[in-house]
């Protein structure tokens, strides 16, 4: 009887073992089903957005969730096999603030860049290629790294660390992340294609708008402002500026800027200066080379632009306005720290787009030249009319009056006629001087000698209480050498100062004449004259200036009162 009982227990024990094994396998199948469902949901999730930066962050967060990783990151590989962007997940803002800098792609991360293969470790520090963590980085043990490929290109690597519960990443974790990385490559490529198509559409629309503004005669400043704003929008930059070369050629000054407004608690990126040196700056290098340039992170480079560091600025780009040999300025752009750097395709598109800014500057210069030519033609026409019509008529009137003087018997009438003739003669000389000024305009932007003389005389008006008479004769702006002009202005300034301080005059006349190879300054007033015991240091300075140029200086007190100053020097030594 006991033997039969023992026999009946053996099948029961085997059945329990089989049921337990079956339950374990069912649980494994259910867990695998759940992970497959989670993987499918993750694939759908990462492909539901077309913004590249959003897609990258979603990929990292999904991978960390699927394998129970505490920390995750996506390292984007640049053209020189370095990390140009690091997208972390699982770190708090305080932990991020404590990290001195993100990894640059050295050590273990560099190995994954050089050899893009799946790598699974129990302890990161035990691997011979381990380089350690940046200061402030939290400690990490278990590690899983998987490359992310876009077609045949390695876009970057997924890094997952610190499996929850203290265990290691297993083969199933690796398989899940490898499958996710494959789907991530498709999502990244779609996001890239979408960005490219959006950029082309934006570029075409912006080009059409700017072409319309240029053809409709828009102001250069307005067109450049539109170009800077559209370029910033196309490149997704946080700020843009157009820099034009300074007069010295050693600096680029900021002609205008356009920055994204503050939003979502983020302050706007702003300029802190109005110029940047050509030597040693990113904008200067682009200006000299005629090629678009980019930096992955402006904070970690000595080559700087002119943007503030609060908030820290990251990727930067500089695009020349025009081709090498005809660069008219630079379009500079920056993004906030941590954002994707400017790609070469973006820079090429911006370079072609920025060429329209060069066209705008060239059109503005051509328009200024046309306006200047029109002004010169008007001045020439006015000068000819004055010479051929007005002067001839005045000269004929003067000749008629001169012939009439002999026919007038009364001395008073004869004197009045002679005064009228003298006034006509003076008027003719003034008109001839004006004709010289109209026919020989200065090409530079510095004020002409005539303008500086007028400014000095008009400046004395407020101190004197009256406007001195002024007569300018001859080709002052062309026949007077610069060094002689400087002495003349100094002498006139001293003479007017003496007139204001000592003369007590109610009338004064200033005459500047360039004729017969000499430059002569005459200043006459009806004041108290030159006292015998007065200080003569200022007058000695005027005499010294005349002697230095081989000329002469005299100052007298006529019997009628006042003072008469004459300063004359040769125009050519």
């Amino acid at each position: 009887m006991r033997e039969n009982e023992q026999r009946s227990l053996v099948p029961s024990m085997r059945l329990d073992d089989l049921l337990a094994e079956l339950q374990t396998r069912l649980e494994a199948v259910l867990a695998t089903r759940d992970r497959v469902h989670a993987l499918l949901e993750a694939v759908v999730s990462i492909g539901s957005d077309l913004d590249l930066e959003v897609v990258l962050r979603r990929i990292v967060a999904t991978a960390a969730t699927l394998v129970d990783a505490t920390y995750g990151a996506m390292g984007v590989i640049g053209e020189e096999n370095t990390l140009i962007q690091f997208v972390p997940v699982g770190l708090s803002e305080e932990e991020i603030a404590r990290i001195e800098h993100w990894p640059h792609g050295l050590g273990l991360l560099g190995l994954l860049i050089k050899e893009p293969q799946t790598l699974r470790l129990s302890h990161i520090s035990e691997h011979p290629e381990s380089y350690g963590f940046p200061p402030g980085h939290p400690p990490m043990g278990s590690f899983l790294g998987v490359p992310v490929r876009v077609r045949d290109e390695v876009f970057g690597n997924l890094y997952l660390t610190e499996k929850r519960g203290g265990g290691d990443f297993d083969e199933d974790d690796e398989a899940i992340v490898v499958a996710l990385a494959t789907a991530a490559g498709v999502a990244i490529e779609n996001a890239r294609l979408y960005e490219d198509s959006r950029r082309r559409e934006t570029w075409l629309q912006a080009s059409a708008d700017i072409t319309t503004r240029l053809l409709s005669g828009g102001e250069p400043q307005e067109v450049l402002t539109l170009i800077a704003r559209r370029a910033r929008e196309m490149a997704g930059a946080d700020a843009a500026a157009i820099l034009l070369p300074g007069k010295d050629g050693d600096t680029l000054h900021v002609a205008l800027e356009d920055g994204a407004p503050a939003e979502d608690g983020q302050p706007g990126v702003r300029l802190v200066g109005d110029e940047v040196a050509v030597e040693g700056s990113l904008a200067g290098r682009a200006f000299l080379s005629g090629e678009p340039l980019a930096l992955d992170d402006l904070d970690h480079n000595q080559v700087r632009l002119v943007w503030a560091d609060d908030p820290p600025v990251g990727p930067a780009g500089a695009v020349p306005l025009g081709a090498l040999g005809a660069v008219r300025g630079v379009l500079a752009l920056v993004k906030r720290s941590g954002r994707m750097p400017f790609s070469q395709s973006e820079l090429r598109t911006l370079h072609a787009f920025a060429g329209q800014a060069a066209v705008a500057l060239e059109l503005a210069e051509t328009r200024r030249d046309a306006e200047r030519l029109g002004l010169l033609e008007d001045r020439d026409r006015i000068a000819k009319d004055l010479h051929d019509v007005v002067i001839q008529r005045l000269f004929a009137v003067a000749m008629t009056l001169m012939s009439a003087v002999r026919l007038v018997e009364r001395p008073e009438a004869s004197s009045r006629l002679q005064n009228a003739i003298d006034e006509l003669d003076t008027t003719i000389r003034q008109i001839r001087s004006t004709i010289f000024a109209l026919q020989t305009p200065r090409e530079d932007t510095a004020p002409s000698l005539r303008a500086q003389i007028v400014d000095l005389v008009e400046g004395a008006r407020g101190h004197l209480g009256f406007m001195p008479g002024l007569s300018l004769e001859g080709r002052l702006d062309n026949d007077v050498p610069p060094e002689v002009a400087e002495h003349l202005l100094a002498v006139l300034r001293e003479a007017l100062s003496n007139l204001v301080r000592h003369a007590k005059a109610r009338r004064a006349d200033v005459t500047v004449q360039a004729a017969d190879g000499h430059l002569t300054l005459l200043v006459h007033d009806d004041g108290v004259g030159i006292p015998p015991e007065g200080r003569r240091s200022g007058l000695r300075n005027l005499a010294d200036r005349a002697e230095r140029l081989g000329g002469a200086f005299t100052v007298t007190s006529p019997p009628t009162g006042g003072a008469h100053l004459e300063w004359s020097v040769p125009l050519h030594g």
Side-chain angles (χ1 to χ4, degrees):
M1 186 70 179
R2 289 179 180 176
E3 184 178 349
N4 293 333
E5 290 179 356
Q6 290 177 353
R7 289 178 180 178
S8 64
L9 288 174
V10 172
S12 176
M13 293 176 61
R14 289 180 179 176
L15 180 61
D16 288 343
D17 292 340
L18 290 173
L19 288 174
E21 183 179 353
L22 179 61
Q23 183 177 0
T24 302
R25 293 193 177 187
L26 283 173
E27 289 176 354
V29 169
L30 290 174
T32 303
R33 183 202 63 181
D34 291 341
R35 297 191 78 178
V36 170
H37 284 171
L39 176 61
L40 292 175
E41 290 176 359
V43 170
V44 173
S45 174
I46 64 176
S48 63
D49 202 295
L50 291 174
D51 184 276
L52 184 56
E53 294 190 28
V54 173
V55 168
L56 294 180
R57 190 165 296 279
R58 189 169 292 175
I59 290 170
V60 179
T62 302
T65 302
L66 287 174
V67 297
D68 288 332
T70 305
Y71 306 108
M74 169 74 80
V76 181
I77 301 174
E79 295 181 352
E80 298 180 358
N81 285 337
T82 58
L83 292 180
I84 60 173
Q85 189 182 17
F86 202 76
V87 183
V89 167
L91 294 171
S92 65
E93 293 184 2
E94 292 76 12
E95 289 175 318
I96 292 175
R98 286 196 295 267
I99 299 175
E100 185 173 300
H101 63 81
W102 291 121
H104 298 315
L106 304 175
L108 191 59
L109 302 190
L111 175 65
L112 285 174
I113 294 174
K114 291 181 290 186
E115 300 177 8
Q117 298 176 355
T118 302
L119 181 63
R120 184 157 46 91
L121 302 171
S122 297
H123 298 283
I124 297 176
S125 59
E126 294 178 358
H127 194 279
E129 293 287 337
S130 179
Y131 193 77
F133 298 105
H137 198 286
M140 296 179 181
S142 55
F143 175 84
L144 175 60
V146 177
V148 177
R149 289 181 170 83
V150 178
R151 294 185 183 271
D152 297 330
E153 169 196 359
V154 177
F155 176 82
N157 289 295
L158 261 175
Y159 308 117
L160 301 163
T161 61
E162 284 295 294
K163 188 175 179 68
R164 298 184 190 278
D168 296 336
F169 296 105
D170 55 24
E171 293 181 357
D172 291 340
D173 294 329
E174 180 179 332
I176 286 288
V177 177
V178 169
L180 180 67
T182 303
V186 176
I188 291 171
E189 183 178 23
N190 289 338
R192 278 179 162 182
L193 292 174
Y194 172 74
E195 284 197 351
D196 287 343
S197 63
R198 183 177 58 84
R199 189 182 305 116
R200 290 192 190 96
E201 182 181 354
T202 306
W203 183 81
L204 289 173
Q205 182 60 47
S207 297
D209 291 345
I210 291 169
T211 301
T212 302
R213 294 287 181 92
L214 288 173
L215 294 178
S216 61
E219 290 296 324
Q221 191 77 2
E222 177 189 359
V223 176
L224 292 178
T225 301
L226 179 61
I227 288 173
R229 184 169 68 251
R230 289 304 183 90
R232 178 181 63 80
E233 294 170 351
M234 279 194 301
D238 292 303
I242 288 182
L243 297 91
L244 302 178
K247 293 181 180 179
D248 56 4
D250 296 329
T251 59
L252 296 169
H253 72 272
V254 179
L256 56 94
E257 61 172 304
D258 182 81
E263 57 182 11
D264 298 332
Q266 292 269 17
V269 180
R270 59 184 177 84
L271 289 172
V272 294
D274 57 0
E275 68 177 24
V276 59
V278 172
E279 189 69 29
S281 69
L282 180 66
R285 287 166 52 196
F287 180 76
L288 295 176
S289 66
E291 294 293 334
L293 301 172
L295 288 176
D296 298 338
D297 194 338
L298 198 61
D299 283 342
H300 298 151
N301 289 274
Q302 297 301 316
V303 185
R304 303 194 60 78
L305 286 170
V306 289
W307 272 277
D309 291 332
D310 186 19
V313 291
V319 181
L321 308 181
L324 181 62
V327 178
R328 295 179 175 271
V330 175
L331 169 66
L333 306 105
V334 293
K335 295 181 180 180
R336 288 186 177 91
S337 181
R339 295 192 58 197
M340 285 283 288
F342 298 99
S343 66
Q344 289 300 315
S345 62
E346 284 179 322
L347 290 178
R348 286 192 294 269
T349 302
L350 287 171
H351 194 195
F353 179 74
Q356 297 190 66
V359 174
L361 294 172
E362 187 171 352
L363 282 176
E365 185 176 330
T366 303
R367 195 174 295 132
R368 284 195 298 268
D369 290 341
E371 292 173 356
R372 189 180 299 115
L373 180 60
L375 177 62
L376 293 178
E377 291 176 346
D378 288 342
R379 291 166 68 103
D380 189 56
R381 178 182 54 79
I382 293 170
K384 287 181 179 179
D385 289 344
L386 288 173
H387 182 272
D388 297 341
V389 180
V390 178
I391 285 184
Q392 299 303 324
R393 284 189 158 186
L394 290 176
F395 187 75
V397 172
M399 293 297 293
T400 301
L401 292 177
M402 289 179 65
S403 62
V405 169
R406 295 190 297 268
L407 303 177
V408 177
E409 296 179 356
R410 294 181 61 182
E412 296 85 356
S414 177
S415 176
R416 290 184 179 182
L417 283 175
Q418 189 61 50
N419 288 338
I421 293 170
D422 293 340
E423 288 293 331
L424 284 173
D425 187 54
T426 301
T427 302
I428 290 172
R429 289 200 303 272
Q430 290 280 8
I431 293 176
R432 281 178 175 163
S433 179
T434 302
I435 291 173
F436 291 147
L438 289 172
Q439 290 180 330
T440 55
R442 296 177 68 89
E443 293 297 329
D444 54 25
T445 57
S448 65
L449 178 57
R450 287 173 173 274
Q452 294 180 77
I453 293 171
V454 172
D455 286 343
L456 286 176
V457 174
E458 288 185 346
R461 178 180 187 175
H463 301 287
L464 291 171
F466 61 89
M467 179 65 188
L470 178 61
S471 175
L472 303 175
E473 303 175 13
R475 298 165 58 93
L476 296 174
D477 292 336
N478 294 87
D479 290 350
V480 181
E483 62 274 11
V484 177
E486 290 180 8
H487 285 286
L488 170 70
L489 293 172
V491 171
L492 177 58
R493 193 177 294 110
E494 178 68 22
L496 291 173
S497 176
N498 291 335
L499 186 63
V500 170
R501 290 182 296 168
H502 308 300
K504 300 179 182 179
R506 292 177 296 176
R507 178 191 173 111
D509 293 293
V510 176
T511 300
V512 182
Q513 181 183 42
D516 300 327
H518 280 75
L519 175 66
T520 302
L521 168 66
L522 301 173
V523 180
H524 180 77
D525 66 79
D526 63 353
V528 297
I530 307 296
E533 69 281 1
R535 296 179 60 186
R536 300 292 179 118
S537 58
L539 298 179
R540 280 198 298 272
N541 290 336
L542 305 188
D544 289 343
R545 288 181 181 275
E547 291 175 4
R548 213 177 307 164
L549 298 175
F553 168 75
T554 59
V555 59
T556 59
S557 295
T560 55
H564 182 80
L565 179 151
E566 182 174 345
W567 186 87
S568 180
V569 296
L571 289 172
H572 305 286

